[in-house]
Amino acid sequence: MGESIVVKRDNFATEVLEKSYDKPVLVDFFAQWCGPCQMLKPMLEKLAQEYDFVLAKVDIDASPDLAQDYGVEGVPDVRIVVDGAVNPGFVGVLPEPQLRQLMAQLQLTSGLDQALEQIYAKASQGNLQAAEAELADLLRQYPDNRGLILEAANFYLETDQPALAEAVLAPIQESEKEYFARAKGLKALIAFKQALLIAPESDLDRQFQQAAQAALQEDYSTAFQGFLAIVSRDRKYRQDGARKAMLALFDLLGDDHPLTKNYRKQLTMALY
């Protein structure tokens, strides 16, 4: 959707400042000898293919005057240009999820996001077969896109296909910290679905299933309350399953979510 170009002094005004009146321009000040620059470069180029912005790459050794004009002291240094104004962006390497958050702050939607919206729309209209076919096509086009993998797993969960959800999550490894936590959370939701298929034999079974159902319905507060009550009542139930369920929901929601902060404290108090 966007474009990636090399910029020097002689084309900076036309390729950066003028174009920024039509769409945002990210100026990547980099150096060939800079290791972090080489890590950031392919991520930015990948995003430029998905989102409608201009990636302008400036080699500070080839254009030291531009680097000096804009006060570049360390690389990589990314500036954001909108309506002719060069604004601070970030210095250093951001992980891909944070780069995508930046895209959202710039009110940019990727072609991939648009395709996912169409898939969910078709599914909600009852055209599940077409939605699944388009999702499979996207997974073939972007086999290494972890965000897409997570969205696909969520789609399969919402369409009651837990086996497919579990299979699609398989490539995400523990070393991929920015994605693995959410993958763990989704795997917990898969386990919750499977738990609902088993006939309850005790009050604790019923209480666990009620909490699991609440989590699947995204009523996380009720889910946390249910799991916490089980932890307080019987730590050994399902091999400490209620506590593990809470930890998985923490992973799903993220450390900064208010419910995570609240119930992490309550879990600690219940345990000690």
Side-chain angles (χ1 to χ4, degrees):
M1 293 179 66
E3 59 179 319
S4 178
I5 57 176
V6 175
V7 173
K8 297 181 179 180
R9 164 71 73 184
D10 57 0
N11 64 346
F12 189 86
T14 56
E15 297 295 337
V16 174
L17 300 179
E18 291 183 16
K19 284 188 176 181
S20 71
Y21 287 94
D22 296 325
K23 62 183 66 177
V25 179
L26 268 63
V27 182
D28 176 23
F29 289 97
F30 75 98
Q32 297 291 347
W33 45 262
C34 166
C37 297
Q38 304 310 316
M39 294 172 58
L40 180 64
K41 179 182 176 182
M43 289 194 288
L44 292 178
E45 291 176 339
K46 173 184 174 184
L47 293 175
Q49 294 176 356
E50 291 184 35
Y51 294 85
D52 191 18
F53 72 91
V54 176
L55 173 61
K57 296 174 287 188
V58 179
D59 185 334
I60 63 168
D61 292 323
S63 302
D65 49 349
L66 277 177
Q68 184 175 3
D69 287 348
Y70 290 99
V72 174
E73 297 181 353
V75 287
D77 186 332
V78 176
R79 307 295 175 93
I80 300 169
V81 188
V82 178
D83 293 337
V86 181
N87 305 296
F90 61 90
V91 177
V93 180
L94 295 182
E96 186 175 323
Q98 290 188 34
L99 291 174
R100 292 185 181 277
Q101 289 176 10
L102 177 61
M103 299 297 103
Q105 292 169 9
L106 294 173
Q107 298 182 332
L108 294 172
T109 303
S110 74
L112 182 58
D113 290 336
Q114 294 171 7
L116 283 169
E117 288 177 6
Q118 293 175 3
I119 287 169
Y120 277 107
K122 288 183 178 180
S124 66
Q125 294 165 3
N127 197 351
L128 186 58
Q129 186 174 0
E132 289 183 2
E134 291 184 15
L135 181 57
D137 284 341
L138 283 182
L139 288 169
R140 282 191 289 269
Q141 292 177 45
Y142 304 97
D144 299 323
N145 189 306
R146 282 358 193 188
L148 174 59
I149 287 174
L150 293 171
E151 284 297 332
N154 185 68
F155 175 89
Y156 291 133
L157 269 173
E158 291 187 0
T159 55
D160 203 25
Q161 301 178 82
L164 280 176
E166 188 168 17
V168 81
L169 288 170
I172 299 180
Q173 303 299 311
E174 187 172 358
S175 58
E176 302 173 84
K177 294 181 180 180
E178 62 267 35
Y179 299 107
F180 188 71
R182 189 175 171 209
K184 282 175 59 181
L186 288 169
K187 288 179 181 178
L189 295 182
I190 294 170
F192 294 160
K193 271 191 175 290
Q194 293 169 339
L196 296 179
L197 299 176
I198 302 173
E201 298 180 356
S202 66
D203 288 341
L204 283 177
D205 287 342
R206 283 184 281 274
Q207 192 170 358
F208 188 92
Q209 287 186 338
Q210 289 171 357
Q213 184 65 55
L216 290 168
Q217 294 173 344
E218 299 184 5
D219 182 1
Y220 298 118
S221 180
T222 298
F224 278 127
Q225 291 172 22
F227 289 133
L228 184 62
I230 295 173
V231 170
S232 300
R233 183 175 170 183
D234 186 355
R235 276 288 305 277
K236 295 181 180 179
Y237 174 75
R238 291 176 65 101
Q239 297 180 327
D240 204 15
R243 181 186 67 86
K244 293 176 181 176
M246 293 185 70
L247 296 180
L249 289 180
F250 295 155
D251 286 331
L252 184 67
L253 297 179
D255 292 337
D256 294 330
H257 195 286
L259 288 176
T260 297
K261 294 179 179 179
N262 180 20
Y263 282 97
R264 198 185 291 278
K265 291 179 182 178
Q266 292 196 44
L267 177 60
T268 300
M269 293 173 61
L271 294 175
Y272 304 104

